[in-house]
Amino acid sequence: MKANPLLIAAVVLALLGAAAWYTRENPPPASDAAPKIVDVEEDELRKIVLRREGMQDLAMVREEGGEWEFSGGSEIAADDTAVGLMASSLSSLNADRLVSETVSDWEQYGLDSPALAVGFELADGGGEIQFGSDTPTGSGVFARLKDDPRLFTVYSYNKTSFEKSAFDLRDKRLIHLDEDSISSVTVTAGGRTTRFEQLDGDWSITEPMQLRADDFTVDDLVRSVRTAEMTEVLADGAAAADFAFGPPKAMVEIEDSGGKHELVIGQQGETHFARTSSQAGVYAISSTLAEGFDKPVSDFRNKKLFDFGYADPARLDVRAGEESAAVVRSDGTWLLESDGSREVDGSKVQTLLDRLRGLTATEFPSDRQEEQAGFGLDAPLIEASVTPEAENALPEKVLVASTDAAAAYAARDGEPSTYQVEQSAVDDIVRALEDLLAEPEDEADEVADEDAPDSDENE
């Protein structure tokens, strides 16, 4: 009798289904899973000791506040994040597999005198993990728990996570600052000194003269000091005197609630190095950090003519040549106060505001008030005043002088600096004002004229 293929397939399918059900209902024993070498919670760890053959033990202890520090009264601060990652690796250390339940000869696995051991202490108890030779495949390492007869293999990266030097685990920041209380920064580099002071979250340039500062650029400068890191320890103690810093490549003085802190940068050949008031020693730093302080004051200046930002102001007064407009905001609508307080298209007001908001300097040709007349600012083409909505807010007023060239000039009323701006930006302001002042019927007439057939064509 010839076997029915469909019947055979149905039987096979039923057997596979039964096998899948049995496996689901009877999972393999837990012993088949990756065995744990240690079973501790990360927050239970109180001390970690790295022991390497031929080297001094390196120990870290967890303080009461939870931060990690080097033990033995070391003056070097530990990098809490770096040590914390190592502690996390320790608490989650699983074996790749259990090789043997009992081993008496550890030499053949490199565990009679392990090259690396990681001791740990808990509030109650502790232990030591030892790493031996590489496995024959090269992808793993033999490991054991001290005084435990079992032999494990772990992946190589598990061992690598503990192969750390004191430098790897130290806090590499050159200066420790309270970010929220930084009040001033003084940078001397390239033969010039620039000082910045912060008040109510806003930065200003106070040296070489009082100037408006770009907050984002100065914040980047402060961040580069606050996060400045060493790349190598070049000298500690008395040996630090061998490094010549005079004249320094750059000097930075920064002040916070803890007082004044100093960073001094030197250079010998291609090597850049630094010393700080926060810690003794001389440290190698990256060339990017060293070169980053040699910037002209213009890089830190606020290049925007207006500061009113993206919030809608309460009032806008603009004159360009013979045209002028006084616009006020009332109940979410814009009223042309200079033309009977008629309501105007809000999008046109926003266009004019955008043109004023975008007025940006390309250069700073002068910072002397008596020179502004030479740039045509004694008879400006445009006078624009923007009054913020805040109670008792003072208006910002800007003067703009047009030229026949590609560049034009502008100034903030009452301030000495002259800003060079693009002539195209001036033209955009004039056009936006003209569009705002256009009568609605004039616009309708223009549309009608465009839609009307040409008289010649009708003929």
Side-chain angles (χ1 to χ4, degrees):
M1 179 185 231
K2 190 175 180 180
N4 188 332
L6 291 177
L7 180 60
I8 293 174
V11 172
V12 170
L13 185 61
L15 291 173
L16 290 174
W21 174 85
Y22 180 84
T23 301
R24 185 177 67 249
E25 296 299 321
N26 299 272
S31 59
D32 289 353
K36 270 186 169 294
I37 299 180
V38 293
D39 188 11
V40 299
E41 296 294 331
E42 182 180 346
D43 57 6
E44 293 178 349
L45 291 167
R46 293 293 176 265
K47 185 175 183 178
I48 299 175
V49 184
L50 302 182
R51 300 187 173 97
R52 284 158 293 189
E53 193 172 19
M55 298 179 65
Q56 186 175 358
D57 289 354
L58 180 60
M60 287 73 59
V61 295
R62 193 197 295 267
E63 300 295 328
E64 289 186 3
E67 298 83 10
W68 287 97
E69 297 292 346
F70 291 116
S71 68
S74 173
E75 295 181 0
I76 299 174
D79 182 338
D80 191 63
T81 300
V83 182
L85 287 173
M86 193 167 61
S88 177
S89 298
L90 178 60
S91 66
S92 60
L93 182 61
N94 284 346
D96 173 32
R97 67 188 182 93
L98 174 63
V99 179
S100 175
E101 287 282 358
T102 304
V103 172
S104 57
D105 180 13
W106 297 103
E107 183 177 2
Q108 60 181 315
Y109 305 108
L111 287 165
D112 59 325
S113 180
L116 172 65
V118 182
F120 60 92
E121 294 182 9
L122 312 172
D124 181 18
E128 180 178 286
I129 301 168
Q130 299 176 342
F131 297 94
S133 306
D134 292 343
T135 60
T137 62
S139 62
V141 178
F142 290 111
R144 67 173 296 207
L145 186 64
K146 186 178 180 181
D147 299 327
D148 189 318
R150 294 175 300 169
L151 174 66
F152 303 92
T153 60
V154 298
Y155 291 113
S156 297
Y157 67 81
N158 291 121
K159 178 184 176 184
T160 303
S161 64
F162 300 107
E163 292 178 323
K164 304 297 182 183
S165 66
F167 184 80
D168 293 331
L169 299 173
R170 73 175 291 168
D171 187 345
K172 300 176 186 64
R173 288 176 299 167
L174 293 171
I175 299 181
H176 296 86
L177 298 167
D178 177 12
E179 179 182 359
D180 296 329
S181 67
I182 294 173
S183 57
S184 70
V185 185
T186 304
V187 179
T188 301
R192 56 183 170 268
T193 297
T194 309
R195 179 175 174 82
F196 310 90
E197 295 183 10
Q198 184 175 217
L199 181 63
D200 297 330
D202 296 320
W203 287 102
S204 64
I205 300 169
T206 58
E207 191 179 341
M209 63 182 299
Q210 189 76 36
L211 297 168
R212 297 166 65 231
D214 180 79
D215 286 333
F216 294 106
T217 308
V218 181
D219 281 339
D220 281 342
L221 172 69
V222 172
R223 188 178 301 110
S224 70
V225 180
R226 183 171 51 80
T227 61
E229 291 190 346
M230 64 185 78
T231 58
E232 182 184 352
V233 178
L234 298 179
D236 274 325
D242 295 337
F243 284 82
F245 281 85
K249 183 177 181 66
M251 292 182 62
V252 182
E253 185 180 85
I254 188 164
E255 189 170 0
D256 64 4
S257 59
K260 293 182 179 180
H261 310 267
E262 187 178 66
L263 169 68
V264 183
I265 296 173
Q267 181 177 2
Q268 289 181 3
E270 296 298 317
T271 301
H272 296 89
F273 47 87
R275 70 168 186 255
T276 78
S277 57
S278 296
Q279 51 191 312
V282 177
Y283 310 96
I285 60 173
S286 69
S287 58
T288 302
L289 174 62
E291 303 290 347
F293 296 111
D294 189 4
K295 294 181 178 180
V297 68
S298 58
D299 283 9
F300 299 99
R301 294 185 65 167
N302 188 343
K303 298 172 179 62
K304 292 286 189 181
L305 269 295
F306 282 99
D307 288 333
F308 64 87
Y310 288 93
D312 283 335
R315 182 181 181 90
L316 174 63
D317 295 272
V318 182
R319 178 193 65 78
E322 300 300 321
E323 302 282 1
S324 64
V327 188
V328 295
R329 194 156 63 92
S330 176
D331 296 328
T333 61
W334 292 98
L335 305 177
L336 189 59
E337 189 179 70
S338 55
D339 188 10
S341 294
R342 66 178 174 87
E343 185 174 342
V344 290
D345 187 342
S347 64
K348 293 185 176 183
V349 178
Q350 290 299 331
T351 298
L352 179 55
L353 285 171
D354 287 342
R355 299 295 180 260
L356 295 173
R357 186 185 288 115
L359 194 60
T360 305
T362 57
E363 293 183 27
F364 300 93
S366 172
D367 289 308
R368 299 172 64 89
Q369 187 128 25
E370 61 269 23
E371 294 180 355
Q372 288 185 349
F375 295 97
L377 290 166
D378 56 336
L381 169 70
I382 297 174
E383 295 181 65
S385 176
V386 179
T387 304
E389 191 173 36
E391 187 177 355
N392 300 321
L394 297 176
E396 288 185 87
K397 185 176 182 181
V398 168
L399 313 175
V400 183
S402 183
T403 68
D404 295 329
Y409 301 98
R412 287 169 60 87
D413 189 39
E415 297 183 13
S417 298
T418 297
Y419 301 71
Q420 182 174 308
V421 298
E422 298 285 353
Q423 177 64 48
S424 59
V426 179
D427 296 338
D428 287 342
I429 293 173
V430 173
R431 281 194 293 269
L433 178 62
E434 291 173 349
D435 288 345
L436 176 64
L437 292 173
E439 293 281 353
E441 53 267 28
D442 292 343
E443 296 174 1
D445 291 343
E446 290 176 7
V447 173
D449 290 342
E450 291 174 1
D451 292 340
D454 188 87
S455 58
D456 293 336
E457 292 179 1
N458 288 340
E459 291 177 0

